[in-house]
Amino acid sequence: MKQLNYLRVATMQRLPAVLLAFSAIATQPAVAQSRNQTTQLPAGVRIPLAVTRPVWSAAVRPGDPIYTQTTFPATVDDHVAIPSGTYVEGQIDSLTKPTRKLNHATLAIHFTKIIFANGYTVLLPSPDANADSADRATLDIQASTANDLLLDNGAKIEMTLGSPLTLDAAQVSAAIPASKPLDPGAFKSATLCRPTSGFPGSPGSPDTVIPGSPGTPSITIPGAGGSPDITIPGTPATPATVIPGSPGTPDTPGTFCPAPPLVLSSSAAFSPQAKHN
């Protein structure tokens, strides 16, 4: 009987440790599952972007980077997958520039990475690895040789996902409170204004001088037979009259500010035949 009671007491003493170990084992799969939860955006989703660094016509070359930020959150099942203000980097694949006869340009872009506000970075498929899965944008732009730009600050474009995009749900959740939505009014056009000859001023007119009269001296007629002299007063001189002329006006300098480039369309179509001119 004493041995049985001893076994009961020993078992009761070990029971909390056994339950604790079992509890830890039971919760481990749940923790691992929560850490491995993902969010997936399907292929074909179009993500609106704004250009955050201008593209200059004279300097741009295929292979140059392009920098953008999302202007509207991308969602899946009412959950935010990519918050507004998230950075998206890309690379220019090919381009055509406007000519004197044609105010038109095209840019073919593939996107390389998404950088969330908390530093979470997602690398996107390269067209070298799989051309069909690359995330792209082909821009149709109204641009002129009078402007030094092909893309202005704040230009609106769209990235189209070429393949499903899998994201770490925990990382996305951590990035949401740190993300800052873009302010459309914060973008300032990079278009360069140029001085022109403007309008010439007027030389003005000189003063007009009307001469005065010199006046006349008094005339004295001597008296006769003891009569006094007779003096006829002269006329006093009058000063010249000056009528002021009109002052001249300075030249008015002119300024010419060419119209900024306008993105007419942003699509997923890609033409490898596009050339750099």
Side-chain angles (χ1 to χ4, degrees):
M1 180 65 71
K2 290 182 178 181
Q3 185 177 5
L4 180 60
N5 290 335
Y6 173 78
L7 290 174
R8 287 178 177 175
V9 172
T11 302
M12 293 299 293
Q13 289 176 344
R14 294 177 58 188
L15 184 60
V18 173
L19 291 176
L20 181 61
F22 178 77
S23 176
I25 295 173
T27 57
Q28 281 180 358
V31 172
Q33 183 179 5
S34 65
R35 289 178 179 175
N36 292 333
Q37 282 185 349
T38 59
T39 298
Q40 189 175 78
L41 285 169
V45 168
R46 305 183 75 170
I47 300 173
L49 306 170
V51 175
T52 56
R53 188 177 298 180
V55 175
W56 298 96
S57 181
V60 64
R61 297 289 184 274
D64 286 353
I66 186 167
Y67 300 96
T68 68
Q69 283 182 265
T70 57
T71 60
F72 195 81
T75 60
V76 177
D77 297 330
D78 297 329
H79 296 287
V80 173
I82 303 178
S84 177
T86 301
Y87 293 94
V88 180
E89 292 185 15
Q91 180 176 302
I92 296 172
D93 293 325
S94 61
L95 64 135
T96 60
K97 297 181 182 180
T99 65
R100 292 182 180 180
K101 294 182 179 181
L102 185 63
N103 290 342
H104 183 268
T106 59
L107 275 175
I109 301 166
H110 81 270
F111 296 93
T112 57
K113 67 178 69 172
I114 301 175
I115 305 172
F116 290 77
N118 62 338
Y120 173 49
T121 301
V122 178
L123 299 180
L124 302 175
S126 168
D128 296 334
N130 190 336
D132 294 333
S133 66
D135 307 315
R136 300 187 181 279
T138 296
L139 311 182
D140 184 18
I141 307 168
Q142 179 179 307
S144 169
T145 54
N147 199 307
D148 299 311
L149 293 174
L150 281 185
L151 276 181
D152 201 358
N153 286 325
K156 296 179 180 180
I157 65 177
E158 285 186 328
M159 173 177 67
T160 302
L161 297 182
S163 60
L165 178 63
T166 301
L167 303 169
D168 186 312
Q171 291 280 13
V172 172
S173 296
I176 291 174
S179 301
K180 295 181 180 180
L182 285 178
D183 177 11
F187 289 109
K188 182 179 180 181
S189 176
T191 294
L192 299 177
C193 297
R194 301 165 186 163
T196 64
S197 58
F199 304 96
S202 63
S205 59
D207 295 343
T208 300
V209 179
I210 301 175
S213 62
T216 58
S218 299
I219 299 174
T220 301
I221 302 173
S227 60
D229 295 343
I230 299 173
T231 300
I232 302 174
T235 58
T238 57
T241 302
V242 178
I243 301 175
S246 60
T249 57
D251 295 342
T252 303
T255 302
F256 170 68
C257 298
L262 177 64
V263 177
L264 301 177
S265 67
S266 176
S267 66
F270 175 67
S271 174
Q273 287 77 29
K275 297 181 296 182
H276 169 240
N277 293 332

